Amino acid sequence: MAAISYELIKKDKETKARRGRLTTPHGTIETPVFMPVGTAATVKAMRPEEVKELGAEIILSNTYHLYLRPGHDIVREAGGLHKFMNWDRPILTDSGGFQVFSLGDLRRITEEGTEFRSHIDGSKHMLSPEKSVEIQTALGSDIMMAFDECAPYPADRAYVKNSLERTTRWLVRCKEAHKNTEKQALFGIMQGGMYPDLRKQSAEEIVALDLPGYAIGGLSVGEPKELMCEILDDCVDYLPPEKPRYLMGVGTPDYLFEGVERGIDMFDCVLPTRIARHGMAMTSYGKVNIKNAKYERDFTPLDAACDCYTCRHYSKAYLRHLFKCNEILSAMLLSNHNLHFLVNMMKNIRTAIEEERFLEYKREFYAAYGNF
Amino acid sequence: MAAISYELIKKDKETKARRGRLTTPHGTIETPVFMPVGTAATVKAMRPEEVKELGAEIILSNTYHLYLRPGHDIVREAGGLHKFMNWDRPILTDSGGFQVFSLGDLRRITEEGTEFRSHIDGSKHMLSPEKSVEIQTALGSDIMMAFDECAPYPADRAYVKNSLERTTRWLVRCKEAHKNTEKQALFGIMQGGMYPDLRKQSAEEIVALDLPGYAIGGLSVGEPKELMCEILDDCVDYLPPEKPRYLMGVGTPDYLFEGVERGIDMFDCVLPTRIARHGMAMTSYGKVNIKNAKYERDFTPLDAACDCYTCRHYSKAYLRHLFKCNEILSAMLLSNHNLHFLVNMMKNIRTAIEEERFLEYKREFYAAYGNF
């Protein structure tokens, strides 16, 4: 039996938006879904119970980071990532490809894989399709990602073509190396940069491998939003409707809406927890910088329309005070709120699709939120 | 009606240890008690519900810090400290005296009070008995402390005598300024350094003012443990048995045992949360440095005898990993454990007193703990 299955529940009539359900070994995920990121086997500043309580059904964790610290052998010995970090719901792991690619001068890409130096201690390592699958097998994630190269933006056509073709060859090797298919699903990743025909080529090559799900990589890497939307529009059409589609690294509210509108089912981003640690919150009336002096005596909640733990118990004045005192509780409370905000927004999006008013909800949301 | 009342439940036969109960406007506290410290209106790295869950019945917060940030006027406008920080159990506030005293060159003591410069921005301020009471009234703590001078160690007799007499005069002014007596209790603080006769003089002066409780200040300020115990032995005898006794700033397990043995009812210290943030844990088998390489593959809990949240869900290997990655969850989990450890130790001490085996429990604890 396959590790995961995808059920299409409802399609929007005006757009490509769709409401679905993903079943995994650790539980069911309602889609479209936003996945909080727990890079180092922890969603930063959150107890796992809190991540659950705010409604997250799946989290993402990073292969590159866990390979370096604590080491995938230790996670394996601990009984896998779920047990190690006390999270019993589904986990998706990335392949480490994006992270080693981002190391710039510290890495060298060959046909075999990517040689790199650790950002922690400079030690030399090699990530390859086989190694990435080995690590992700040790971690025991419900969904593992293929080892790919995310081409930079901008990049010339020849580079992108060469890169995506290698990514396909790496995907074949990943599939070959992946043995634990009943417990872990392997997703392929489409590349092709900003070239529609290369996107099509990449899609055809990876779809031919009949994997349980597909991701779109190499978007939201610095290109203008309009270009992202345009490319995304094409990309989705090349992917099989009976499989889940995952747009990697996307997490601002507008990009989530644009992604859903174009038929994306899964998203992840560090944004909500990262900006929380810098005193920024997402609310139903737009972005809030809690450092702002105008909140000094504001004894109302961050978002009166929000029922998260933070908004139920604390005022802006208190949150501002915590941030200014550099208190850890500030990161805890704002991370909770921001994750709740995105997870709840996705829930509202799902309901809107079910009730055939997705675009209406999108318009309302944009009008209330203001600048993204 | 007085804000608080103390009930003596049981006296140990072998020592001065005693089991009591303190009733305050925000609830009842079983004594002897350890009070976690929430300096800036937050017990660092903890949600208040977690502090409750681990069994804390009262916390301490700092007047000096809250006066500077966010300002006591803001806490008053928020509806008081309990509401501001979402903690509905009793709160004790210190007077700010110890903090401004600790500023060294940044402060100047006069009969009027203490002039000081903020450690945050260098701005000039004055704390006096009246000002301290004003701030603590705004904070709305259940127990406020008198504004005192904690003489340094070592200090010559003339300095200490002069200082304690001024502290008594300040106490008279505190009592005069304190109007909210039905909602907030004012505790006096005994000083007198390491001079038994000066301790006696201080005690007689402050006890004559018939306050609802008394603290012993100026101990655990750098003197040898034996000297601390010796002075403490005397101090307690000068205090009325029908009033609660509070030993300020004490928080290592051995000092807590020594204090209880000499008749102390209340303790506070930043130690458990501070060492937690440095990767140190207190356990039933002694101190643990979670950074230690030997825990790399140790998949057992921090303390198998502990039923705190951290020990129920996480391994030493995971805690070590979090600490090494500088993850906020590390501070959260170790703070939880350390506070639970001390709060639970005090619970065991209370039970031991009830069951007339305090010294036996002390011996067992010391044997298991090893070096403090």
Side-chain angles (χ1 to χ4, degrees):
Chain A
M1 217 188 82
I4 67 158
S5 64
Y6 174 76
E7 176 193 356
L8 178 58
I9 296 172
K10 178 150 190 153
K11 281 193 66 179
D12 188 38
K13 283 171 186 157
E14 301 172 290
T15 72
K16 296 183 203 164
R18 55 193 215 156
R19 174 74 183 85
R21 186 170 294 138
L22 198 57
T23 303
T24 82
H26 286 87
T28 290
I29 301 148
E30 303 298 327
T31 62
V33 66
F34 176 78
M35 306 183 280
V37 177
T39 295
T42 157
V43 176
K44 289 190 195 301
M46 303 275 293
R47 283 186 181 188
E49 290 80 2
E50 293 160 15
V51 181
K52 269 191 188 179
E53 190 202 315
L54 63 83
E57 294 185 324
I58 176 171
I59 61 168
L60 178 146
S61 204
N62 290 107
T63 285
Y64 168 80
H65 293 85
L66 295 175
Y67 163 69
L68 290 179
R69 285 193 306 206
H72 59 294
D73 52 333
I74 288 179
V75 179
R76 185 201 292 117
E77 286 173 44
L81 187 53
H82 292 86
K83 197 170 167 202
F84 187 56
M85 69 178 291
N86 183 33
W87 172 260
D88 59 8
R89 291 189 179 177
I91 298 175
L92 181 148
T93 44
D94 68 0
S95 69
F98 184 77
Q99 273 76 23
V100 295
F101 161 79
S102 307
L103 290 172
D105 286 350
L106 291 174
R107 51 90 180 146
R108 196 171 61 89
I109 304 171
T110 65
E111 184 63 26
E112 171 58 15
T114 306
E115 228 177 49
F116 66 98
R117 288 189 179 275
S118 156
H119 73 283
I120 303 164
D121 62 6
S123 56
K124 227 171 167 173
H125 301 267
M126 173 69 154
L127 260 186
S128 63
E130 292 77 13
K131 186 74 190 174
S132 177
V133 168
E134 179 201 328
I135 299 167
Q136 295 183 78
T137 303
L139 299 177
S141 49
D142 299 80
I143 299 170
M144 61 167 79
M145 300 303 299
F147 188 70
D148 66 329
E149 186 200 351
C150 174
Y153 174 81
D156 68 48
R157 193 187 158 77
Y159 184 93
V160 173
K161 186 170 162 65
N162 181 46
S163 166
L164 86 84
E165 289 172 353
R166 187 172 48 214
T167 285
T168 300
R169 291 192 296 276
W170 282 355
L171 177 57
V172 173
R173 286 165 55 191
C174 281
K175 195 181 173 191
E176 191 77 11
H178 174 42
K179 306 295 180 201
N180 193 22
T181 51
E182 293 194 6
K183 293 284 181 60
Q184 298 180 274
L186 171 69
F187 278 24
I189 304 176
M190 182 208 298
Q191 292 290 350
M194 305 302 155
Y195 304 94
D197 62 321
L198 296 185
R199 285 282 169 184
K200 184 159 189 274
Q201 178 188 341
S202 175
E204 285 170 353
E205 290 177 9
I206 66 175
V207 169
L209 292 168
D210 191 25
L211 294 163
Y214 293 98
I216 298 168
L219 284 182
S220 192
V221 289
E223 76 283 8
K225 184 176 166 186
E226 296 66 32
L227 182 55
M228 197 277 292
C229 289
E230 202 186 302
I231 299 292
L232 188 56
D233 248 337
D234 282 343
C235 286
V236 171
D237 294 338
Y238 305 137
L239 294 175
E242 72 280 10
K243 304 277 176 76
R245 304 155 181 165
Y246 164 27
L247 179 59
M248 303 177 83
V250 160
T252 55
D254 54 340
Y255 275 54
L256 292 172
F257 271 101
E258 300 301 336
V260 168
E261 187 169 336
R262 286 162 181 81
I264 298 297
D265 306 301
M266 304 163 74
F267 304 87
D268 79 283
C269 197
V270 296
L271 180 97
T273 44
R274 178 169 291 168
I275 66 173
R277 295 194 301 281
H278 291 94
M280 297 293 299
M282 295 181 274
T283 74
S284 61
Y285 56 96
K287 277 187 290 191
V288 164
N289 181 345
I290 202 65
K291 299 179 283 296
N292 202 309
K294 73 179 170 189
Y295 301 125
E296 192 178 20
R297 287 181 151 79
D298 187 333
F299 301 111
T300 63
L302 200 47
D303 190 346
C306 178
D307 65 346
C308 83
Y309 169 76
T310 304
C311 290
R312 275 186 283 122
H313 295 295
Y314 304 94
S315 65
K316 295 190 202 75
Y318 183 66
L319 294 171
R320 180 175 186 271
H321 162 68
L322 291 179
F323 185 83
K324 288 192 70 91
C325 291
N326 204 19
E327 284 288 347
I328 289 174
L329 188 59
S330 170
M332 292 163 62
L333 295 181
L334 290 179
S335 296
N336 186 282
H337 170 82
N338 283 349
L339 282 182
H340 179 278
F341 181 80
L342 282 191
V343 165
N344 193 57
M345 186 189 89
M346 296 308 286
K347 191 176 158 198
N348 291 339
I349 285 178
R350 291 194 298 270
T351 306
I353 299 172
E354 286 167 14
E355 297 175 354
E356 303 184 357
R357 51 176 184 80
F358 169 72
L359 281 183
E360 188 188 323
Y361 177 57
K362 183 186 171 194
R363 273 190 301 270
E364 284 167 16
F365 187 97
Y366 276 50
Y369 201 87
N371 293 323
F372 295 96
Chain B
M1 217 187 84
I4 67 157
S5 64
Y6 174 76
E7 178 193 356
L8 178 59
I9 297 171
K10 178 151 191 154
K11 282 193 63 176
D12 189 37
K13 284 171 186 156
E14 300 173 290
T15 71
K16 297 183 204 165
R18 54 192 215 158
R19 172 75 182 85
R21 185 170 295 136
L22 198 56
T23 304
T24 82
H26 286 87
T28 290
I29 301 148
E30 304 297 326
T31 63
V33 66
F34 176 78
M35 306 183 281
V37 177
T39 295
T42 157
V43 176
K44 288 189 194 304
M46 303 276 290
R47 283 187 181 188
E49 290 80 4
E50 292 160 16
V51 181
K52 269 190 188 181
E53 190 202 314
L54 62 83
E57 293 185 323
I58 176 172
I59 61 167
L60 178 145
S61 203
N62 291 107
T63 285
Y64 168 80
H65 293 85
L66 294 175
Y67 163 70
L68 292 178
R69 283 192 307 205
H72 59 294
D73 52 332
I74 288 179
V75 178
R76 186 201 292 118
E77 286 173 44
L81 187 53
H82 291 86
K83 197 171 166 202
F84 186 56
M85 70 178 289
N86 182 33
W87 172 260
D88 59 8
R89 291 189 179 178
I91 298 176
L92 181 149
T93 45
D94 67 1
S95 69
F98 184 78
Q99 274 76 22
V100 294
F101 163 78
S102 307
L103 291 171
D105 288 349
L106 289 175
R107 54 88 180 149
R108 194 172 60 89
I109 303 172
T110 65
E111 184 64 26
E112 171 58 17
T114 306
E115 230 177 48
F116 66 97
R117 287 189 179 277
S118 156
H119 73 284
I120 302 162
D121 62 7
S123 55
K124 228 171 167 174
H125 302 267
M126 173 69 153
L127 259 187
S128 63
E130 291 77 14
K131 187 74 191 175
S132 177
V133 168
E134 179 201 327
I135 299 167
Q136 295 183 78
T137 303
L139 299 177
S141 48
D142 299 81
I143 299 171
M144 60 168 79
M145 301 304 298
F147 188 70
D148 66 329
E149 187 200 349
C150 174
Y153 174 83
D156 67 48
R157 191 185 160 78
Y159 183 93
V160 173
K161 185 169 162 64
N162 180 47
S163 165
L164 85 83
E165 290 172 353
R166 188 173 47 215
T167 285
T168 300
R169 292 191 297 276
W170 283 355
L171 177 56
V172 173
R173 285 165 56 191
C174 282
K175 195 182 172 190
E176 191 76 12
H178 174 42
K179 306 296 181 198
N180 193 24
T181 52
E182 293 194 7
K183 293 283 181 60
Q184 297 181 275
L186 171 69
F187 278 24
I189 304 175
M190 184 207 297
Q191 292 291 348
M194 306 301 156
Y195 303 96
D197 61 322
L198 295 184
R199 285 280 169 186
K200 185 159 188 272
Q201 178 189 340
S202 175
E204 286 171 353
E205 292 177 6
I206 65 174
V207 168
L209 292 168
D210 191 25
L211 294 163
Y214 293 98
I216 298 168
L219 284 182
S220 193
V221 289
E223 76 282 8
K225 184 177 168 187
E226 296 66 32
L227 182 55
M228 197 276 292
C229 289
E230 203 185 302
I231 298 292
L232 189 56
D233 248 337
D234 283 341
C235 287
V236 171
D237 294 337
Y238 304 137
L239 293 176
E242 71 279 11
K243 305 279 175 75
R245 304 155 180 163
Y246 163 29
L247 180 58
M248 304 177 82
V250 160
T252 55
D254 55 340
Y255 274 55
L256 292 173
F257 271 101
E258 300 301 336
V260 168
E261 187 169 336
R262 286 162 182 81
I264 298 297
D265 306 301
M266 304 163 73
F267 305 87
D268 79 283
C269 196
V270 296
L271 181 97
T273 45
R274 178 169 291 168
I275 66 174
R277 296 193 301 280
H278 291 94
M280 296 293 299
M282 294 182 274
T283 74
S284 61
Y285 57 96
K287 277 185 292 190
V288 164
N289 181 345
I290 202 66
K291 300 179 283 296
N292 201 310
K294 73 178 169 189
Y295 302 125
E296 192 177 20
R297 288 182 150 77
D298 186 334
F299 302 110
T300 64
L302 199 48
D303 189 346
C306 178
D307 65 348
C308 83
Y309 170 77
T310 304
C311 290
R312 276 185 282 123
H313 295 295
Y314 304 93
S315 65
K316 295 192 202 72
Y318 183 67
L319 294 171
R320 179 175 186 273
H321 162 68
L322 290 180
F323 184 84
K324 289 191 71 91
C325 291
N326 204 20
E327 285 288 347
I328 288 175
L329 188 60
S330 171
M332 292 164 62
L333 296 181
L334 290 179
S335 296
N336 186 283
H337 171 82
N338 283 350
L339 282 183
H340 180 278
F341 181 79
L342 283 191
V343 166
N344 193 57
M345 186 189 89
M346 296 308 285
K347 191 177 158 196
N348 292 339
I349 285 178
R350 291 194 299 270
T351 305
I353 298 172
E354 286 166 13
E355 297 174 354
E356 302 184 357
R357 51 175 183 79
F358 169 72
L359 281 182
E360 189 187 322
Y361 176 57
K362 183 186 170 192
R363 274 190 300 271
E364 285 168 17
F365 186 96
Y366 276 50
Y369 201 87
N371 293 324
F372 295 96

